């Protein structure tokens, strides 16, 4: 796992920046109230939005500390897949260029997390 330190830190930085900015610019509240509640998660949208972002912060810390990496990865992958299902899939593949807000970024993060979680391949015992 030491050889994956750079990937762990890179994913941690991504998770932290994606979460922390939302705390200070009202993005998390907007995501909960103006998106999640509107697509059927009311009255739990705000709770879900904060749970998602706080889980990203916890996962980032665990990745940096190299502790409970698989648990952090499984939770984060679940959230990323739900993001694909509810937000990104309808926008297509590309985040920029050939489209906007697509699946490709989440797909890459999922692959990187799986690599961190299973450095010897997916045939490794969970």
């Amino acid at each position: 796992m030491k050889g994956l330190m750079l990937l762990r830190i890179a994913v941690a930085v991504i998770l932290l920046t994606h979460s922390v900015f939302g705390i200070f610019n009202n993005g998390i509240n907007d995501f909960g109230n103006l998106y999640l509640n509107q697509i059927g998660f009311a009255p739990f949208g705000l709770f879900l939005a904060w749970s998602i972002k706080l889980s990203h912060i916890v996962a980032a810390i665990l990745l940096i500390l190299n502790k409970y990496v698989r648990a952090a990865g499984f939770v984060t992958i679940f959230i990323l897949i739900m993001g694909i299902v509810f937000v990104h899939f309808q926008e297509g593949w590309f985040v920029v260029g050939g489209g906007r807000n697509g699946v490709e970024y989440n797909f890459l993060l999922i692959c990187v997390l799986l690599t961190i979680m299973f450095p010897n391949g997916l045939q490794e015992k969970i």
Side-chain angles (χ1 to χ4, degrees), residues 73-91:
F74 282 124
V75 170
T76 304
I77 288 171
F78 175 76
I79 291 168
L80 292 169
I81 291 170
M82 292 298 101
I84 289 170
V85 169
F86 287 105
V87 178
H88 303 289
F89 186 76
Q90 65 194 16
E91 301 294 334

Side-chain angles (χ1 to χ4, degrees), residues 83-124:
I84 289 170
V85 169
F86 287 105
V87 178
H88 303 289
F89 186 76
Q90 65 194 16
E91 301 294 334
W93 178 258
F94 297 102
V95 173
V96 297
R100 185 191 155 290
N101 204 25
V103 172
E104 67 180 331
Y105 191 65
N106 282 31
F107 175 79
L108 179 61
L109 282 174
I110 291 167
C111 291
V112 170
L113 283 166
L114 287 170
T115 299
I116 292 168
M117 295 162 59
F118 302 100
N120 298 318
L122 290 176
Q123 73 278 4
E124 187 176 328

Side-chain angles (χ1 to χ4, degrees), residues 1 7 14-16 22 32 40 42 48 51 54 72 108 116 119 122:
M1 286 283 247
L7 280 180
I14 289 168
L15 292 174
L16 285 172
L48 284 171
S51 297
L54 292 175
L108 179 61
I116 292 168
L122 290 176

Side-chain angles (χ1 to χ4, degrees), residues 49-61:
W50 276 96
S51 297
I52 291 165
K53 295 307 176 181
L54 292 175
S55 79
H56 286 346
I57 293 169
V58 170
I61 292 167

Side-chain angles (χ1 to χ4, degrees), residues 9-42:
I9 291 171
V11 172
V13 167
I14 289 168
L15 292 174
L16 285 172
T17 56
H18 195 67
S19 300
V20 172
F21 286 118
I23 291 171
F24 296 107
N25 72 2
N26 209 39
I28 298 172
N29 291 333
D30 288 347
F31 180 60
N33 289 320
L34 303 178
Y35 182 72
L36 291 175
N37 278 342
Q38 303 308 312
I39 65 165
F41 289 98

